[in-house]
């Protein structure tokens, strides 16, 4: 168990509403990531953070924003949810070896 | 353009036999390659990795082989067990992008009893 908690685990929301997903880690690791998983696309990086208030865009960042005000929390916000953002979202942290990433259990988001 | 490719969406193997999952990459600057296993409704779990300076890494039933000249790696599972049935993702760590992992699309392995 890598000490990563994602909340909520499931959410259904309406198109156009804002949504925030939370990732909490107990490992005090510097790097945190948000990925989305979709059929036929594998895992794609949305945003990542390399420290408090230090974030950068990934491969599929359009329509998403992130914030990291504390080492342990990394928030992903959909400012105005669209149906194309229906997906399973995974948070990850980079391990102590600085190589592998460890993933949370995921959040299944449905935008109707 | 995909930098990490898993060209087989699925693979079916008999229990006890060898499973071979393949992965190709295009960027010669990747310095680490990793394999993850994912069960339904769970997060991916790290399985095994290999540095770009090695050509083989073994951990129990799992062995990863790296062929740098062909930009190809493979994961061998011997012997395969029904509990190995999952989606396997190949990933590569980039040099210049803060060391972020780039994933392939995954291969669904089914091990039949």
């Amino acid at each position: 168990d890598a000490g990563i908690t994602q909340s909520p685990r499931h959410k259904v929301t309406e198109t156009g509403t804002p949504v925030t997903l939370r990732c909490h880690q107990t490992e005090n690791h510097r790097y945190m990531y948000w990925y989305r998983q979709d059929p036929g696309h594998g895992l794609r990086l949305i945003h990542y953070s390399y420290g408090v208030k230090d974030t950068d865009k990934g491969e599929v960042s359009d329509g998403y924003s992130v914030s990291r005000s504390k080492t342990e929390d990394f928030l992903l916000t959909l400012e105005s949810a669209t149906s194309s953002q229906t997906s399973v979202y995974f948070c990850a942290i980079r391990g102590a070896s600085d190589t592998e990433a460890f993933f949370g259990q995921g959040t299944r988001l449905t935008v109707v | 353009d995909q930098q990490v490719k898993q060209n087989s969406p699925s693979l079916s193997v008999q229990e006890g036999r060898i499973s071979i999952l393949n992965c190709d990459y295009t960027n010669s600057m990747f310095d680490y390659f990793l394999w993850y296993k994912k069960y339904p409704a769970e997060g991916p779990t790290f399985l095994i990795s290999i540095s770009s300076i090695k050509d083989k890494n073994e951990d129990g039933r799992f062995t990863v082989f790296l062929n740098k000249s062909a930009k190809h790696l493979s994961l061998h599972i011997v012997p395969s067990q029904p509990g190995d049935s999952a989606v396997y993702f190949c990933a590569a760590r980039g040099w210049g992008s803060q060391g972020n992992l780039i994933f392939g699309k995954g291969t669904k392995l089914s091990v039949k009893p």
Side-chain angles (χ1 to χ4, degrees), chain A:
Chain A
D1 185 1
I4 306 169
T5 304
Q6 291 186 231
S7 58
R9 293 292 312 279
H10 302 271
K11 186 170 182 65
V12 179
T13 192
E14 292 186 350
T15 299
T17 60
V19 177
T20 295
L21 308 182
R22 179 177 182 247
C23 178
H24 178 79
Q25 61 147 329
T26 58
E27 307 292 322
N28 202 37
H29 286 299
R30 181 182 169 202
Y31 282 85
M32 297 184 75
Y33 306 88
W34 278 108
Y35 286 88
R36 59 179 289 175
Q37 185 199 3
D38 304 287
H41 290 279
L43 292 156
R44 294 181 292 173
L45 182 64
I46 305 171
H47 280 278
Y48 65 98
S49 170
Y50 47 96
V52 173
K53 292 189 170 59
D54 291 323
T55 66
D56 206 347
K57 296 178 180 180
E59 178 188 356
V60 289
S61 59
D62 286 349
Y64 301 95
S65 63
V66 289
S67 66
R68 192 163 176 206
S69 58
K70 298 184 289 186
T71 299
E72 58 266 34
D73 290 324
F74 191 31
L75 304 180
L76 176 71
T77 297
L78 291 66
E79 302 290 345
S80 177
T82 67
S83 58
S84 65
Q85 292 175 312
T86 291
S87 186
V88 181
Y89 292 86
F90 290 101
C91 173
I93 60 174
R94 187 185 294 180
S97 71
D98 209 36
T99 305
E100 64 269 20
F102 297 97
F103 286 80
Q105 293 285 77
T107 294
R108 180 173 292 277
L109 177 68
T110 303
V111 183
V112 297

Side-chain angles (χ1 to χ4, degrees), chain B residues 83-100:
Chain B
D84 296 328
S85 297
V87 176
Y88 289 79
F89 290 101
C90 170
R93 190 177 82 165
W95 259 106
S97 56
Q98 296 270 6
N100 297 332

